[in-house]
C-alpha cells in the first residue's frame, strides 16, 4: 500500500482518496475506492469514477488490492487490566498448575521492587487435575510477597497470605476461603487493595499498551466497563482523558454504579456495563434457576428485579443508559422482570429509546429473548466465550451438564427475534481479537446458534455504535465517521451457516459485499492501517 501526497493541506482538513482495493460498503457492493474528507466518508464508488477525484485531493492511497472495512468496535473491555495482562504476568497460556507457578516465580524474580505483584488468566478448568492454585503454593512461589492473580473470568482470584494481611477483616467477608480462590465481597476487597498499588504512571502505560494493541487489530473504538467494584474513579477518568488527548481508538465509558448522578459526573455514557446481577459460570457465581451440575448451589445474586427496576427508572429519567452484567438464567430473568416493572412506571417508548444494555446474557430462554426484543435491550455478547468454554467437553458442560450448556449464547435466535447485538471480548477475559470473534460467532460450537459472517461482522462494527445510540456510524457510507481499517487478506467470500436459507445472498449476483474467509484454520486478515475520524492511529510494520 503506497501513499502519494498531492498538497500540503493541514491534517484536520486533509482530503484522502483510497483506491485500487476493495471497500466494504453497502452503498456500493463493488466499490474499489473511497474519499475521506474532514474526518468523514465523503464518497465510495468504482475505480473509474475515482479518476475524477484524483487531482482534487491532498493524498492518494494506492491500496494495492487491500480490503477496507469499518473499524471494529469492542463493546466490552477492561482497558487497564488488559494492558497489565499484556505487559505483565499473563497465565492464560499455562497448561498446568506447575507451569503457572513457574511463571509466578519468574515474574516475582523479575520485579523485586513491586509492592504488590499482579497477574491474570489462570483457568484450572483447563488443567489436567482441575485444581486451582493454593495459598501455600503461591506463598512459596512469590517468596512471601503480596500477590493477586485473577481467574480468567475475573470473578475470583488466587492470592497470597501477605495480600490478605493488607485487608483487615477479610476472613469475615462473603466469598472468603481459607486456602482456595476468593469470590464475591472477599474478592472485591483484595482486588481493590491490589489495584491501589498501581501507580498513575503504571496505569497510564497499561492503558496506552491496551489501546495501541487494539489499534493494531483494526479496532477503532472500545467500550470501557469500569465501576467501583472493578477499578477506581481515577482509573476511569484517567482513561477518558488519555483517549481524548492522544491518538488512538475512541473510548466510550460505562460506570457500573447505582448512583446515576455519580456516573454522569465521571463522564460515563451509562450507569452500567458490569453492574453485577450475578457472577460467572467458571467461578460458580453466575446465578442459576437450577443448581450447578458440579456444585450443590445456584450461584450468587447481587441484584434482584426490584433493584434492577429502580436503576432502569433512574437511568431512563436521567437520560443515561442502564446496563447490567447478567450471565445465569436466574440473573437474566431478574433483569427482564426488572425492566418490565420499569416499563410499567415510565412507559415502553422511553425504555426502548434509552437502549439499555445487558452484558454477556449467556443463559437465555425463548421468553427472555422475546423480552429483550420487546424492551429494545442490546445484548452485548462475547462469542469467544463459546470458542473457549463451549462444546461437549468444555467448561460450560462441566458446570451445567451438556443439555443446558448447548443452550448458551444463542446468537441466531437473538438475531431472528430482532435483538440488537454488539460484540466484544471482555478483555482481558478473552483477548482482543475481532476477526477471531466474528469467526467464533459464525462457527459457534452449537450449529443452531451460528450466524452468517456478515451478521457477525455487523455486530462487531455497526452494532457497537448502535449500542451507544449512534445509527450513523460503523459503516462506510457518505456522511459516516471515517473510522476504518485496511487489511491484507485472501479472496473475499460470502459465508452463511446454512446454505439452504442463504443461497441467494452467497450468489455473486446478489451484490452482497464479500468478507474474508473465516473458516476455522484459514489465516485471519492482517491489519495494515487503522484510521479513526480520518486520523491514522496505527500503521503496520510492513507499511
Amino acid at each position: 500500500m503506497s501513499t502519494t501526497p498531492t498538497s500540503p493541506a493541514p491534517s484536520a482538513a486533509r482530503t484522502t482518496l483510497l483506491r485500487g482495493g476493495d471497500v466494504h460498503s453497502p452503498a456500493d457492493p463493488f466499490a474499489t475506492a473511497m474519499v475521506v474528507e474532514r474526518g468523514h466518508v465523503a464518497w465510495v464508488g468504482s475505480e473509474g469514477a475515482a479518476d475524477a477525484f484524483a487531482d482534487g485531493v491532498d493524498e492518494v492511497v494506492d491500496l494495492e488490492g487491500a480490503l477496507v472495512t469499518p473499524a471494529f468496535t469492542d463493546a466490552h473491555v477492561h482497558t487497564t487490566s488488559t494492558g497489565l495482562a499484556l505487559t505483565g504476568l499473563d497465565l492464560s497460556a499455562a497448561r498446568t498448575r506447575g507451569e503457572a507457578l513457574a511463571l509466578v516465580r519468574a515474574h516475582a524474580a523479575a520485579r523485586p521492587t513491586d509492592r504488590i505483584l499482579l497477574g491474570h488468566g489462570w483457568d484450572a478448568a483447563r488443567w489436567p487435575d482441575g485444581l486451582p492454585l493454593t495459598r501455600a503454593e503461591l506463598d512459596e512461589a512469590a517468596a512471601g510477597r503480596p500477590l493477586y492473580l485473577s481467574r480468567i473470568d475475573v470473578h475470583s482470584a488466587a492470592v497470597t497470605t501477605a495480600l490478605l494481611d493488607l485487608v483487615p477483616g477479610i476472613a469475615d467477608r462473603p466469598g472468603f476461603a481459607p486456602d482456595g480462590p476468593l469470590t464475591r465481597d472477599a474478592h472485591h476487597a483484595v482486588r481493590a487493595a491490589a489495584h491501589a498499588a498501581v501507580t498513575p504512571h503504571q496505569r497510564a502505560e497499561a492503558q496506552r499498551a491496551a489501546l495501541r494493541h487494539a489499534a493494531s487489530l483494526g479496532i477503532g473504538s472500545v467500550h470501557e466497563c469500569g465501576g467501583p467494584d472493578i477499578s477506581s474513579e481515577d482509573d476511569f477518568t484517567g482513561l477518558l482523558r488519555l483517549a481524548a488527548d492522544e491518538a488512538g481508538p475512541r473510548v466510550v465509558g460505562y460506570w457500573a454504579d447505582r448512583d446515576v448522578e455519580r456516573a454522569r459526573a465521571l463522564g460515563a455514557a451509562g450507569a452500567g456495563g458490569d453492574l453485577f446481577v450475578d457472577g460467572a459460570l467458571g467461578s460458580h457465581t453466575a446465578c442459576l434457576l437450577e443448581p450447578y451440575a458440579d456444585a450443590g448451589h445456584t450461584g450468587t445474586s447481587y441484584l434482584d428485579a426490584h433493584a434492577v427496576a429502580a436503576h432502569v427508572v433512574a437511568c431512563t429519567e436521567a437520560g443515561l443508559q442502564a446496563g447490567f452484567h447478567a450471565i445465569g438464567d436466574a440473573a437474566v430473568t431478574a433483569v427482564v422482570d426488572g425492566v418490565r416493572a420499569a416499563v410499567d412506571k415510565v412507559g415502553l417508548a422511553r425504555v426502548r429509546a434509552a437502549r439499555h444494555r445487558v452484558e454477556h446474557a449467556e443463559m437465555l430462554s425463548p421468553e427472555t429473548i422475546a423480552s429483550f426484543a420487546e424492551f429494545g435491550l442490546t445484548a452485548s455478547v462475547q462469542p469467544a466465550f463459546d470458542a473457549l468454554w463451549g462444546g461437549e467437553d468444555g467448561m460450560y458442560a462441566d458446570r451445567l451438564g451438556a443439555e443446558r450448556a448447548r443452550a448458551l449464547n444463542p446468537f441466531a435466535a437473538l438475531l431472528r427475534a430482532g435483538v440488537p447485538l454488539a460484540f466484544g471480548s471482555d478483555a482481558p477475559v478473552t483477548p482482543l481479537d475481532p476477526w477471531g470473534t466474528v469467526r467464533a460467532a459464525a462457527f459457534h460450537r452449537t450449529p443452531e446458534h451460528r450466524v452468517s459472517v456478515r451478521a457477525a461482522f455487523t455486530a462487531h462494527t455497526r452494532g457497537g455504535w448502535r449500542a451507544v445510540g449512534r445509527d450513523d456510524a460503523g459503516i462506510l457510507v457518505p456522511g459516516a465517521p471515517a473510522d476504518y481499517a485496511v487489511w491484507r487478506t485472501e479472496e473475499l467470500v460470502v459465508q452463511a451457516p446454512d446454505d439452504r436459507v442463504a443461497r441467494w445472498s452467497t450468489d455473486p449476483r446478489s451484490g452482497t459485499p464479500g468478507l474474508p474467509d473465516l473458516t476455522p484454520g484459514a489465516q485471519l486478515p492482517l491489519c495494515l492501517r487503522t484510521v479513526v475520524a480520518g486520523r491514522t492511529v496505527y500503521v503496520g510494520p510492513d507499511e
Side-chain angles (χ1 to χ4, degrees):
M1 188 170 67
S2 59
T3 301
T4 304
T6 60
S7 75
S11 59
R14 291 184 71 82
T15 303
T16 301
L17 168 64
L18 298 92
R19 64 185 305 178
D22 291 289
V23 178
H24 186 87
S25 171
D28 183 347
F30 306 107
T32 61
M34 179 172 74
V35 173
V36 172
E37 184 174 19
R38 297 183 182 274
H40 289 77
V41 177
W43 172 85
V44 294
S46 66
E47 194 63 28
D51 291 335
F53 295 95
D55 294 335
V57 299
D58 303 307
E59 180 181 50
V60 176
V61 176
D62 183 357
L63 294 169
E64 299 176 0
L67 170 68
V68 181
T69 71
F72 286 101
T73 292
D74 192 310
H76 193 118
V77 172
H78 305 286
T79 307
T80 303
S81 295
T82 299
L84 291 172
L86 287 169
T87 59
L89 177 55
D90 182 2
L91 299 178
S92 60
R95 295 168 295 182
T96 65
R97 288 166 62 243
E99 286 188 9
L101 291 167
L103 289 169
V104 170
R105 291 188 190 96
H107 184 72
R111 305 183 77 92
T113 62
D114 286 8
R115 189 164 71 89
I116 293 180
L117 299 168
L118 301 172
H120 168 75
W122 62 271
D123 185 2
R126 300 162 65 189
W127 296 343
D129 59 10
L131 300 176
L133 300 161
T134 68
R135 193 147 304 136
E137 290 172 326
L138 291 176
D139 286 345
E140 180 276 325
R145 296 167 63 188
L147 169 71
Y148 169 85
L149 297 178
S150 52
R151 188 186 181 277
I152 191 168
D153 61 10
V154 201
H155 283 267
S156 59
V159 303
T160 56
T161 303
L163 180 57
L164 294 178
D165 291 343
L166 299 177
V167 186
I170 185 65
D172 298 325
R173 289 178 177 262
F176 177 80
D179 193 44
L182 308 184
T183 63
R184 302 170 63 192
D185 291 351
H187 174 225
H188 296 161
V190 296
R191 176 165 58 189
H195 286 179
V198 178
T199 67
H201 175 74
Q202 289 174 313
R203 187 172 61 224
E205 284 305 301
Q207 292 168 349
R208 288 190 182 96
L211 294 177
R212 282 196 300 266
H213 185 55
S216 76
L217 298 170
I219 296 171
S221 58
V222 300
H223 298 178
E224 164 67 12
C225 291
D229 289 331
I230 302 164
S231 51
S232 70
E233 292 185 2
D234 287 344
D235 180 281
F236 185 75
T237 56
L239 173 63
L240 296 183
R241 284 195 303 270
L242 184 147
D245 294 343
E246 301 182 9
R250 304 173 192 258
V251 176
V252 178
Y254 286 87
W255 185 250
D257 196 334
R258 295 171 69 184
D259 184 342
V260 174
E261 291 308 315
R262 188 61 190 153
R264 187 198 298 279
L266 293 174
D274 271 334
L275 185 57
F276 298 126
V277 179
D278 69 343
L281 291 165
S283 293
H284 290 101
T285 51
C287 192
L288 312 182
L289 294 172
E290 300 293 336
Y292 283 89
D294 60 349
H297 61 82
T298 57
T300 302
S301 172
Y302 296 115
L303 295 178
D304 60 16
H306 178 76
V308 169
H311 191 63
V312 171
V313 168
C315 287
T316 302
E317 292 182 337
L320 284 178
Q321 285 180 293
F324 302 94
H325 164 119
I327 287 179
D329 47 6
V332 173
T333 299
V335 170
V336 165
D337 290 347
V339 175
R340 182 175 290 108
V343 165
D344 291 341
K345 184 168 184 179
V346 299
L348 179 60
R350 292 182 69 191
V351 167
R352 287 181 60 88
R355 303 193 188 191
H356 302 307
R357 297 170 54 146
V358 183
E359 309 296 321
H360 316 309
E362 292 197 81
M363 294 185 71
L364 295 160
S365 66
E367 292 75 23
T368 52
I369 290 173
S371 295
F372 272 46
E374 179 186 0
F375 302 142
L377 300 177
T378 294
S380 172
V381 295
Q382 295 73 42
F385 286 6
D386 174 74
L388 186 60
W389 297 310
E392 297 295 321
D393 300 319
M395 182 270 288
Y396 289 153
D398 290 342
R399 294 289 184 270
L400 303 173
E403 183 177 355
R404 278 193 294 175
R406 278 193 293 270
L408 263 61
N409 301 299
F411 305 137
L414 286 163
L415 279 179
R416 284 195 301 270
V419 176
L421 293 184
F423 282 178
S425 63
D426 199 10
V429 175
T430 65
L432 297 169
D433 180 16
W435 285 114
T437 295
V438 174
R439 171 185 280 171
F443 294 92
H444 196 296
R445 290 178 179 271
T446 305
E448 57 263 36
H449 299 330
R450 294 174 180 172
V451 299
S452 69
V453 167
R454 181 187 182 193
F457 178 79
T458 298
H460 215 351
T461 50
R462 196 174 190 185
W465 283 91
R466 285 173 164 167
V468 298
R470 291 281 302 273
D471 294 329
D472 62 337
I475 186 170
L476 299 181
V477 297
D483 289 25
Y484 62 90
V486 183
W487 309 90
R488 180 180 297 129
T489 188
E490 301 298 324
E491 181 182 2
L492 304 181
V493 297
V494 177
Q495 290 178 295
D498 190 338
D499 175 67
R500 292 170 299 173
V501 298
R503 187 172 294 130
W504 174 245
S505 68
T506 62
D507 189 306
R509 292 172 296 171
S510 71
T512 302
L515 285 165
D517 180 4
L518 299 185
T519 303
Q523 186 173 356
L524 294 176
L526 174 68
C527 186
L528 304 177
R529 182 173 298 194
T530 304
V531 176
V532 175
R535 184 179 184 183
T536 299
V537 299
Y538 170 76
V539 177
D542 296 333
E543 288 302 300

